Structure formats: C-alpha cells, structure tokens
Amino acid sequence: MVGDLTLEFREQFKNHFPAKIVNTSYVISLEGSGNPIFTNQVGQVFICYNDMGEIELLADSFEEMIVENFFEW
C-alpha cells in the first residue's frame, strides 16, 4: 500500500513541487480527506493538501508525530 500511495503522490504532484521533494519522499498514510502524509529523507513528516497544493510540516520526526498525537487512555 505504501508503494502504491507513493507512486500516486509522485505522479500527481510531479509538476507542482520540486523533484527533490516528490522523488525522495514516501507516503506513509492518508488523512481523513485523502491528503497524503509523507516523510522525507531526513525523517520529517509532512501533509500535502490536495485542494490547495501546499505542503505543511507536521513533525520533525515520525517519533515526534506519534508522541504528540498518542494519548493514553
């Protein structure tokens, strides 16, 4: 699934963002609206808003993203 999502992301955004971003990142998930959440070579986690064509940094690492969003019961 990660491979398919990544290939779709690369194809969809190849003309919208620099090749360095698109070709060296991989999609790890989709959020509720279908926006891809991806990580780059240094481990930063981003979200790409399909409708706006913008990228936002969510966390400096996957670990940070999990810690910030995991709530104990």
Side-chain angles (χ1 to χ4, degrees):
M1 177 161 181
V2 169
D4 293 336
L5 292 174
T6 298
L7 292 175
E8 289 175 26
F9 170 75
R10 290 178 179 173
E11 181 62 29
Q12 182 176 359
F13 293 101
K14 67 182 176 187
N15 297 319
H16 298 281
F17 303 115
K20 182 177 180 180
I21 293 172
V22 175
N23 294 331
T24 60
S25 301
Y26 61 94
V27 177
I28 56 175
S29 185
L30 298 176
E31 57 87 62
S33 297
N35 296 312
I37 297 172
F38 65 95
T39 186
N40 65 10
Q41 288 181 312
V42 296
Q44 295 171 307
V45 180
F46 298 86
I47 186 167
C48 178
Y49 295 106
N50 293 325
D51 56 345
M52 296 184 293
E54 295 179 3
I55 294 175
E56 177 185 348
L57 177 66
L58 296 177
D60 286 324
S61 70
F62 185 74
E63 178 183 9
E64 180 183 305
M65 186 183 75
I66 297 299
V67 169
E68 288 180 0
N69 292 286
F70 178 77
F71 303 101
E72 293 189 38
W73 298 75

